[in-house]
Amino acid sequence: MPRDFTRIAIVNRGEAAMRFLHAAREDSLERGRPLTTIALYTEPDRRSLFVREADEAVSLGAPFVTDPADGRRKSSYLDYDRLTRALRGARAEAVWVGWGLVAEHAAFADLCRDLGVVFLGPTGDVMRKLGDKIGSKLLAEAAGVPVAPWSGGPVEDLAAARRHAAEIGYPLMVKATAGGGGRGIRRVDGERDLAEGFEAARSEGYKAFGDPTVFLERRVRGGRHVEVQVVGDEHGTVWALGVRDCSVQRRHQKLIEETPSPALTADEDRFLRDAAARLAKSAGYTGAGTVEFLFEPASRQFSFLEVNARLQVEHPVTELVTGVDLVKLQLHVGRGLPLPSPEPPPATGHAVEARLNAEDPDRDFAPSPGRLEVFRPARGPGIRVDSGVEEGDVIPSEFDSMIAKLIAWGRTREEALARLSRALGETAVVIRGGASNKAFLQELLRRPEMASGDFDTEWVDRLGAAGARPVGRAGAVALAAAAVEAYEAALDVERTR
């Protein structure tokens, strides 16, 4: 049933919030009906770009609050009482959540429903069905989607873990059913490591998500992380908009993403898209989401991982090859309208994305925030930059360290990689008191494995373990630049004297 709304609250911040603001403005201009955007922010973001750019802004107060139930500190964006007051005070008619924070909280989708606010995403019931990793695996099996050997359900104690491990075989993974973002996951190479990995995954799952439930799954060695972008409407149509390859990771955190996957044949790409659409349709999925798989190149087998019931950070690569604006599509299906056609538009060319972060590769990628003294992103053919900051802004220490996403499109993979390398080289970024991972990304893109596409999810971690972290050449340049600056500073002092 079609519905309309004119006041939309953004329950997110930074680059994600800016992504929505751009889409909302375009939607307003296309439809000739203005959308009022309302940024919900915390005090460190009072002067942030997304707060300045939104039509209205509502403060949530301090960035963190103490949960009276368990005494733990949590983000104010996760405090439902504050969010309820803010949404009511803002007279919000719809909510966009993006990724992270409450994006996959079924309880928040329920709260929006109870408040009479349109949640631009799947229902709470569908989120519960898919957000739980155990439940989603059972649903995938029922939909005929390939699943790796696993425990078949939750593993209650260490004795049960040992029984399942003997059946599955080592190496294996212990995973929290409510986990995400690389948390609540432990690799177990042999029986001697099982007790420690089992308890660590349970503990981290409880601390991070309030749920200690875990399951066991066969570990795929030398695998690729591939995922399908899906969008569903309320009329039973599901689009599968291509396959992304997110195998360039560090400790389960994605660094570089691309589409299509250089590891898959055209038939395998089609098979994966069909499987993802089938799963989304069987779950009654509405809105944008991602179905994730592991791919074993040696055996050419896929294993279902999970469904992320939200938009992903890396969605721009899909947008560049399909021409689809996924955020505007969220608005479209959120109004109860059908997708424009039974089949999605075809993909053209290749796109690749790198995440430019305020973190220090020389200190084990520790967050390195500060004032953005210089920020001049690259421009030119085939380049897109998504960012939530401008030159002069402060990257707050309270939140993630994202500076920008650099995305390049090319007619071929080689052209897309060349454009991304050029864009990184032409991007100027200086953080007072901080650092960025720009040089690390540049050197990563220069490696032969990147050019050939011959890598897996553990490639970057193996480079680090072998002491081959690609920072040497840029480190020498930085040292020379620092020496020149120190000399000029000393010379200025002498002249003043």
Side-chain angles (χ1 to χ4, degrees):
M1 176 177 160
R3 64 185 73 89
D4 203 7
F5 39 76
T6 59
R7 298 179 61 80
I8 305 183
I10 307 167
V11 186
N12 214 308
R13 60 170 303 280
E15 180 261 328
M18 285 304 303
R19 176 67 188 88
F20 179 77
L21 288 169
H22 293 317
R25 285 173 182 163
E26 286 186 24
D27 181 86
S28 296
L29 292 168
E30 286 177 22
R31 299 175 70 242
R33 299 195 61 184
L35 284 175
T36 300
T37 53
I38 309 147
L40 272 54
Y41 69 94
T42 60
E43 286 309 303
D45 277 330
R46 177 173 287 275
R47 294 178 176 81
S48 291
L49 179 61
F50 78 97
V51 178
R52 302 196 301 264
E53 291 293 320
D55 297 316
E56 300 176 15
V58 176
S59 174
L60 295 173
F64 300 103
V65 296
T66 300
D67 192 327
D70 55 18
R72 291 188 299 164
R73 195 171 75 148
K74 65 180 182 181
S75 168
S76 291
Y77 282 105
L78 305 180
D79 186 334
Y80 287 8
D81 290 338
R82 290 188 183 216
L83 292 177
T84 298
R85 290 194 296 271
L87 293 175
R88 283 176 172 163
R91 295 177 289 113
E93 298 169 355
V95 165
W96 185 83
V97 291
W99 47 89
L101 302 174
V102 294
E104 289 183 277
H105 285 212
F108 182 72
D110 293 342
L111 172 65
C112 291
R113 177 201 62 205
D114 295 342
L115 292 173
V117 174
V118 176
F119 180 82
L120 296 175
T123 65
D125 289 341
V126 170
M127 274 197 201
R128 273 182 284 272
K129 197 184 302 183
L130 294 173
D132 179 280
K133 288 183 173 59
I134 291 174
S136 65
K137 279 187 179 297
L138 295 171
L139 188 65
E141 287 179 324
V145 175
V147 175
W150 69 302
S151 56
V155 180
E156 302 296 339
D157 52 38
L158 186 56
R162 288 196 173 103
R163 289 196 303 273
H164 286 295
E167 295 173 3
I168 297 168
Y170 295 96
L172 54 80
M173 305 294 286
V174 184
K175 295 185 177 182
T177 188
R183 291 176 293 178
I185 299 175
R186 288 296 183 276
R187 167 180 147 184
V188 177
D189 291 324
E191 187 176 356
R192 67 187 180 281
D193 305 319
L194 182 59
E196 181 183 351
F198 180 76
E199 292 302 330
R202 279 175 57 86
S203 175
E204 191 167 86
Y206 179 72
K207 288 178 181 177
F209 309 103
D211 186 351
T213 306
V214 298
F215 64 95
L216 271 57
E217 180 180 66
R218 179 172 67 88
R219 178 176 169 246
V220 176
R221 287 186 283 189
R224 309 275 295 223
H225 180 127
V226 290
E227 59 188 36
V228 182
Q229 175 70 61
V230 296
V231 180
D233 63 23
E234 296 175 8
H235 307 272
T237 300
V238 174
W239 279 2
L241 287 153
V243 179
R244 296 189 289 256
D245 194 316
C246 307
S247 302
V248 182
Q249 305 179 2
R250 179 190 161 274
R251 297 179 187 173
H252 306 294
Q253 296 295 316
K254 300 168 185 174
L255 298 172
I256 295 174
E257 304 98 357
E258 59 182 306
T259 189
S261 169
L264 303 185
T265 66
D267 287 342
E268 288 167 340
D269 186 290
R270 190 179 307 107
F271 168 82
L272 208 60
R273 284 185 282 117
D274 290 344
R278 199 163 57 245
L279 175 57
K281 187 172 290 190
S282 69
Y285 195 90
T286 56
T290 306
V291 186
E292 300 192 344
F293 297 85
L294 275 177
F295 172 63
E296 299 176 78
S299 63
R300 313 305 294 181
Q301 290 184 331
F302 296 101
S303 300
F304 168 74
L305 273 177
E306 62 181 331
V307 176
N308 285 317
R310 55 175 168 81
L311 200 61
Q312 296 270 91
V313 177
E314 58 273 17
H315 75 274
V317 294
T318 299
E319 293 184 326
L320 285 186
V321 298
T322 61
V324 171
D325 188 311
L326 289 166
V327 180
K328 288 196 293 187
L329 208 55
Q330 286 181 296
L331 288 167
H332 180 83
V333 299
R335 294 185 175 106
L337 301 172
L339 288 166
S341 62
E343 297 295 326
T348 304
H350 200 97
V352 59
E353 171 183 298
R355 304 186 189 193
L356 184 62
N357 294 330
E359 58 188 21
D360 190 347
D362 289 329
R363 293 192 300 121
D364 198 27
F365 295 86
S368 191
R371 184 174 295 280
L372 204 55
E373 295 286 350
V374 177
F375 182 46
R376 293 190 292 274
R379 294 179 175 83
I383 299 301
R384 165 175 162 179
V385 179
D386 284 14
S387 179
V389 290
E390 291 182 329
E391 193 171 277
D393 286 348
V394 172
I395 301 169
S397 59
E398 292 87 351
F399 302 107
D400 68 76
S401 58
M402 173 78 75
I403 301 170
K405 298 183 308 200
L406 274 66
I407 314 103
W409 178 89
R411 293 162 297 177
T412 63
R413 182 172 187 265
E414 291 75 17
E415 184 175 56
L417 286 171
R419 282 177 167 173
L420 182 61
S421 294
R422 170 183 67 78
L424 278 166
E426 293 176 359
T427 295
V429 54
V430 176
I431 305 169
R432 178 177 291 275
S436 82
N437 66 340
K438 172 187 164 180
F440 175 82
L441 293 171
Q442 287 179 284
E443 294 293 338
L444 206 58
L445 286 169
R446 291 191 186 107
R447 292 193 66 90
E449 300 95 327
M450 198 70 216
S452 66
D454 185 18
F455 47 76
D456 56 50
T457 56
E458 298 173 10
W459 170 53
V460 176
D461 289 333
R462 286 197 301 271
L463 286 177
R469 195 173 65 206
V471 294
R473 188 184 339 176
V477 173
L479 186 61
V484 171
E485 289 180 5
Y487 167 77
E488 290 180 341
L491 185 61
D492 287 343
V493 171
E494 291 298 322
R495 283 175 174 162
T496 301
R497 287 176 178 170

